[in-house]
């Protein structure tokens, strides 16, 4: 059992408490004071960066999930791209790692309920599930509701998959290992969704948990095993082509997504699985796994009233428009698709025609809410987007654009009409970027039930994100309003100042032979150099490394570097092209591109620059997944001293 009361506060947290304010700043007090003024108020419920009442540091770069459970609200955070984490430059390997936070009352302070422990960067899943039968289909004396979190912990064997189950009576969590050593890397271990579903033939309640490419694992309630879930040893589905981002019950069947495809489970003692829709017909080209394909798969009433329809976001690659698609069953049971709206187009209209080049929606399921006054249903989906021109407040980016700084969400009514709103009002240069809505939950508190909704988010993929996790709340009327104010364009001076502040490069200095400096873009979070590198850093889908070796010939050094990639990976590496060039000071150099495969079978593209000085070769390289091109624009800031 993991007893959170026994955890001691580390010394660095005590020091950090001096530097981090634990009270709301002036802007937050204004928002909170406005809460009594009716439906127009937003209140910040969680602001990362404080020590809670039991001495735990409550921080994080993202809020991934909000989940109501037995009258309380829980949140799953992440330390992805958080500079205090050891993967991104922190000093303590034991902390900080992902946490489950707990809110006991509407105006209370969030407390750390669970520390997932070292190497668990993100609590990928947090769900309150209810079992009504045991593994034989016998009815339980009373339904059992469990709060369950999942995470994957990378290691040389791929990753371990952990399941954490809360004991509500003791206020503790039990940790079990579902899989040890998956043999997969990155999001191929993802555990983004789960649900309990009753087999219509056997009558057994099962918990279904997709695990990356390995497939969907199932478990039944068993009070006598650790964590109270008895898991099958092998996945029911076999391997999946892409990780699953949603699993739901629709039309008396279990339905789930994997890349371009949506599948239905055919119940029985030996269940099978059938594809019911292939979204590859919606666009050309392959699906980039980190983006996902079918996202946010959810259930809504059929507009004809005959059955249930499916609603999802189609986001195949780095040029995604996040188009919302509805699937309706015809009289034969076949699903027919209707494209309703594209989030990128809605955002462009919201910004008075400003171009929007990318949108990513559907981080979790689309949330149904009921307007307290009109009793009309609405459906919410959060998103992030890249906007062009730097005419509006942005986070990260370049002179051509950036990620819109506000936390946007789309609203759909029962007639498939859409409009947009953003948490805490329009983004401005004065406000701290909220960047994206990832999750939302109607309040579980008795005094707020059916009246208040909580939002959480931030997407830390794109640069160092110190304590950027947030939770806001507002009335459902305010969340659904159609007359919310729109953002105002920046002045040229504001745009120029924001761009200068967003991505301040930092200087890496190497004092040994050969001495050199290089300007590293600010969105790369520095980590600890290993494997013979003298520098290591990360940003979304890009890893940056700098190495020094003995050589007087840059072409020879480039070939040796590709051989080193082969040894570092699974033995597969290939030089695609190389060309001679020179640094600004005239030093001879070689640019080259190589492809290789990691030991966990992840395909990588490496763009590199090698230059020689004083009998040594310096190689600056960025390594990337399929979703994003390697970042090389800073290579020629390399300067020998």
């Amino acid at each position: 059992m993991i007893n959170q009361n026994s955890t001691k506060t580390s010394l660095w947290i005590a020091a950090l408490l001096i530097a981090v304010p634990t009270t709301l700043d002036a802007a937050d007090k204004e928002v909170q004071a406005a809460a009594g003024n009716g439906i127009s108020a937003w209140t910040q419920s969680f602001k990362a960066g404080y020590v809670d009442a039991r001495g735990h540091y409550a921080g994080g770069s993202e809020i991934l999930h909000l989940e109501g459970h037995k009258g309380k609200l829980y949140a799953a955070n992440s330390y992805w791209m958080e500079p205090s984490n050891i993967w991104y430059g922190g000093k303590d390997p034991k902390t900080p790692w992902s946490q489950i936070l707990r809110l006991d009352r509407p105006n209370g302070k969030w407390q750390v309920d669970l520390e997932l422990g070292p190497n668990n960067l993100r609590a990928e899943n947090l769900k309150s599930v209810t079992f009504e039968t045991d593994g034989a289909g016998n009815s339980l004396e009373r339904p059992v509701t469990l709060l369950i979190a999942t995470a994957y912990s990378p290691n040389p064997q791929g990753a371990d998959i952990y399941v954490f189950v809360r004991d509500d009576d003791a206020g503790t969590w039990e940790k079990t290992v579902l899989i040890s050593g998956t043999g997969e890397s990155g999001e191929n271990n993802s555990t983004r969704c789960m649900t309990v579903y009753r087999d219509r033939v056997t009558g057994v309640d099962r918990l279904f948990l997709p695990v990356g490419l390995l497939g969907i694992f199932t478990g039944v309630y068993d009070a006598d095993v650790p964590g109270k879930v008895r898991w099958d040893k092998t996945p029911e589905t076999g391997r999946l082509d892409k990780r699953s981002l949603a699993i739901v019950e629709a039309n008396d069947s279990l339905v789930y997504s994997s890349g371009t495809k949506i599948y239905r489970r055919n119940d029985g003692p030996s269940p099978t699985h059938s594809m019911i829709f292939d979204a590859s017909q919606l666009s050309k080209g392959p699906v980039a796994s980190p983006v996902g394909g079918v996202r946010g798969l959810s259930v809504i009433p059929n507009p004809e009233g005959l059955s249930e329809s499916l609603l999802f976001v189609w986001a195949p690659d780095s040029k995604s428009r996040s188009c919302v698609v509805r699937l309706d069953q015809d009289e034969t049971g076949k699903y027919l698709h209707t494209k309703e709206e594209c989030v990128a187009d809605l955002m462009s209209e919201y910004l008075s025609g400003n171009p929007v080049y990318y949108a990513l929606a559907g981080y979790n399921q689309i949330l149904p809410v009921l307007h307290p006054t009109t009793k009309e249903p609405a459906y919410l989906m959060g998103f992030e987007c890249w906007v062009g021109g730097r005419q509006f407040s942005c986070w990260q980016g370049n002179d051509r654009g950036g990620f819109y700084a506000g936390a946007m969400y789309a609203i759909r009514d029962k007639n498939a009409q859409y409009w947009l709103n953003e948490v805490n009002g329009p983004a401005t240069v004065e406000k701290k970027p909220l960047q994206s809505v990832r999750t939302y939950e109607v309040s579980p508190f008795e005094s707020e039930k059916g009246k208040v909704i909580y939002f959480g988010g931030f997407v830390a993929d794109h640069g160092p994100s110190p304590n950027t996790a947030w939770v806001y709340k507002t009335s459902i009327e305010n969340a659904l309003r159609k007359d919310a104010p729109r953002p105002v364009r920046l002045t040229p001076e504001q745009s120029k100042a924001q761009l200068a502040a967003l991505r301040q490069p930092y200087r890496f200095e190497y004092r040994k032979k050969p001495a050199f400096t290089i300007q590293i873009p600010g969105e790369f979070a520095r980590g600890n150099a290993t494997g013979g590198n003298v520098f290591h850093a990360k940003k979304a889908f890009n890893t940056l490394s700098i190495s020094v070796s003995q050589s007087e010939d840059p072409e020879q050094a480039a070939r040796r570097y590709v051989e080193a990639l082969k040894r570092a990976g699974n033995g597969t590496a290939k030089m695609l092209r190389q060309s001679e060039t020179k640094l600004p000071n005239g030093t001879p150099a070689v640019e080259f591109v190589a492809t290789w495969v990691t030991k966990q079978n992840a395909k990588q593209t490496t763009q590199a620059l090698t230059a020689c000085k004083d009998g040594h070769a310096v190689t600056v390289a960025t390594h990337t997944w399929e979703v994003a091109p390697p970042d090389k624009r800073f290579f020629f800031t390399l300067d020998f001293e």
Side-chain angles (χ1 to χ4, degrees):
M1 301 288 283
I2 301 174
N3 190 336
Q4 299 305 307
N5 292 311
S6 65
T7 306
K8 302 298 182 182
T9 309
S10 60
L11 293 176
W12 74 269
I13 290 179
L16 191 59
L17 181 59
I18 300 174
V20 178
T22 58
T23 58
L24 299 174
D25 59 27
D28 294 316
K29 288 179 179 178
E30 290 178 10
V31 172
Q32 210 170 54
N37 295 336
I39 65 169
S40 62
W42 288 90
T43 303
Q44 188 160 13
S45 176
F46 173 71
K47 185 177 182 181
Y50 63 89
V51 175
D52 72 7
R54 294 192 294 126
H56 295 264
Y57 184 69
S61 57
E62 306 169 313
I63 296 295
L64 303 179
H65 297 277
L66 292 169
E67 186 76 3
H69 176 72
K70 296 185 178 179
K72 298 179 181 181
L73 186 61
Y74 294 81
N77 72 4
S78 159
Y79 282 87
W80 175 256
M81 299 296 284
E82 161 61 66
S84 61
N85 181 275
I86 194 168
W87 290 359
Y88 308 108
K91 303 302 181 184
D92 188 346
K94 296 181 180 179
T95 187
W97 297 98
S98 182
Q99 300 160 316
I100 304 300
L101 310 173
R102 187 191 75 250
L103 185 65
D104 295 331
R105 58 187 185 278
N107 297 317
K109 193 84 167 177
W110 288 84
Q111 305 295 312
V112 175
D113 200 66
L114 168 67
E115 302 272 8
L116 272 68
N119 229 32
N120 291 300
L121 192 67
R122 313 172 86 196
E124 286 219 315
N125 207 337
L126 180 65
K127 185 89 169 176
S128 180
V129 300
T130 299
F131 292 91
E132 296 184 5
T133 78
D134 62 15
N138 302 311
S139 296
L140 300 175
E141 183 177 341
R142 62 178 61 87
V144 174
T145 299
L146 302 175
L147 184 62
I148 302 179
T150 64
Y152 71 85
S153 176
N155 58 38
Q157 290 73 46
D160 294 337
I161 308 298
Y162 294 129
V163 178
F164 303 82
V165 180
R166 193 174 198 273
D167 183 331
D168 296 311
D169 294 330
T172 58
W173 293 73
E174 188 147 24
K175 174 183 176 182
T176 59
V177 180
L178 177 61
I179 306 171
S180 181
T182 61
E184 299 289 343
S185 64
E187 83 277 358
N188 291 343
N189 297 297
S190 189
T191 58
R192 286 281 290 270
C193 52
M194 68 174 124
T195 193
V196 166
Y197 168 76
R198 177 170 297 176
D199 188 298
R200 297 306 193 264
V201 177
T202 66
V204 175
D205 284 351
R206 284 188 170 273
L207 177 60
F208 290 79
L209 174 65
V211 179
L213 302 186
L214 277 68
I216 299 178
F217 288 76
T218 73
V220 296
Y221 178 75
D222 187 339
D224 296 326
V225 302
K228 295 183 172 59
V229 178
R230 188 175 73 247
W231 294 95
D232 290 344
K233 299 297 183 183
T234 58
E236 180 182 289
T237 57
R239 287 181 66 84
L240 300 176
D241 291 335
K242 301 286 184 183
R243 61 178 175 154
S244 177
L245 296 178
I247 186 166
V248 297
E249 182 177 332
N251 298 313
D252 295 323
S253 297
L254 186 73
V255 178
Y256 59 93
S257 66
S258 172
T260 68
K261 298 177 177 64
I262 299 174
Y263 294 91
R264 178 183 60 229
R265 182 183 193 263
N266 305 307
D267 294 347
S270 301
T272 60
H273 299 259
S274 303
M275 185 181 71
I276 59 175
F277 185 75
D278 188 348
S280 61
Q281 61 188 286
L282 301 176
S283 61
K284 297 179 180 179
V287 166
S289 179
V291 180
V294 174
R295 299 175 63 95
L297 183 68
S298 302
V299 182
I300 63 171
N302 187 300
E304 302 299 326
L306 301 176
S307 59
E308 292 175 316
S309 294
L310 296 170
L311 198 68
F312 68 89
V313 174
W314 175 239
D317 52 35
S318 59
K319 296 181 180 179
S320 163
R321 310 290 296 169
S322 281
C323 296
V324 184
V325 179
R326 189 183 76 245
L327 299 181
D328 305 316
Q329 277 189 315
D330 63 14
E331 61 275 6
T332 69
K334 181 181 179 181
Y335 281 94
L336 305 177
H337 79 273
T338 300
K339 189 169 82 170
E340 294 190 344
E341 289 283 359
C342 293
V343 170
D345 297 336
L346 293 169
M347 187 64 186
S348 181
E349 179 184 349
Y350 181 80
L351 297 178
S352 304
N354 194 85
V356 175
Y357 297 116
Y358 172 77
L360 189 61
Y363 286 96
N364 293 295
Q365 283 180 246
I366 297 165
L367 180 71
V369 296
L370 197 66
H371 194 289
T373 304
T374 67
K375 306 304 179 184
E376 293 288 337
Y379 305 89
L380 309 185
M381 58 193 84
F383 65 93
E384 70 169 357
C385 59
W386 176 282
V387 300
R390 303 212 69 90
Q391 298 299 303
F392 295 90
S393 184
C394 290
W395 181 71
Q396 296 295 348
N398 52 42
D399 56 356
R400 298 184 301 278
F403 287 92
Y404 183 68
M408 298 298 306
Y409 59 99
I411 306 163
R412 178 195 188 273
D413 68 15
K414 66 178 183 179
N415 299 314
Q417 300 300 305
Y418 286 78
W419 64 99
L420 302 184
N421 209 336
E422 59 184 298
V423 172
N424 200 33
T428 67
V429 293
E430 292 81 17
K431 291 181 178 179
K432 185 176 181 178
L434 302 181
Q435 203 273 325
S436 179
V437 172
R438 298 189 74 116
T439 181
Y440 18 57
E441 181 80 346
V442 175
S443 176
F445 302 114
E446 198 62 41
S447 62
E448 295 181 336
K449 273 188 178 178
K451 303 174 186 176
V452 172
I453 186 169
Y454 287 75
F455 293 79
F458 205 86
V459 175
D461 292 356
H462 313 290
S465 305
N467 282 327
T468 48
W470 56 265
V471 177
Y472 275 83
K473 70 175 182 177
T474 192
S475 66
I476 292 179
E477 290 100 323
N478 189 41
L480 300 181
R481 63 188 292 194
K482 296 182 178 181
D483 62 345
R486 300 284 183 97
V488 177
R489 291 181 185 270
L490 303 181
T491 66
E493 292 76 18
Q494 287 176 318
S495 180
K496 186 180 297 184
Q498 188 182 63
L499 179 61
L502 282 175
R503 299 179 70 176
Q504 287 288 350
Y506 55 95
R507 186 172 183 262
F508 171 64
E509 184 174 10
Y510 185 70
R511 295 180 178 273
K512 300 177 183 178
K513 186 177 181 180
F516 66 87
T517 62
I518 188 169
Q519 297 295 318
I520 306 297
E523 69 269 29
F524 277 99
R526 184 173 181 177
N528 297 310
T530 59
N533 294 317
V534 298
F535 181 85
H536 179 82
K538 290 183 179 181
K539 71 169 186 175
F541 314 122
N542 271 258
T543 299
L544 165 61
S545 63
I546 301 176
S547 62
V548 177
S549 61
Q550 290 187 335
S551 180
E552 296 181 353
D553 181 355
E555 289 191 22
Q556 181 189 59
R559 289 193 297 271
R560 288 177 178 173
Y561 192 86
V562 175
E563 288 299 314
L565 292 178
K566 185 182 294 185
R567 293 191 297 273
N570 73 352
T572 303
K574 181 180 180 181
M575 175 85 77
L576 296 184
R577 59 184 178 273
Q578 63 176 333
S579 59
E580 295 181 1
T581 186
K582 291 183 179 180
L583 300 183
N585 63 8
T587 303
V590 166
E591 277 193 275
F592 65 93
V593 177
T595 58
W596 58 293
V597 181
T598 69
K599 290 186 184 300
Q600 291 77 34
N601 296 317
K603 296 179 181 179
Q604 298 275 300
T605 298
T606 293
Q607 179 95 36
L609 174 78
T610 296
C612 291
K613 184 76 171 180
D614 298 334
H616 290 78
V618 175
T619 300
V620 183
T622 50
H623 319 277
T624 184
W625 296 347
E626 57 184 320
V627 70
D631 190 342
K632 67 165 193 170
R633 67 192 187 283
F634 61 95
F635 282 4
F636 288 89
T637 65
L638 176 63
D639 185 29
F640 290 100
E641 296 180 354

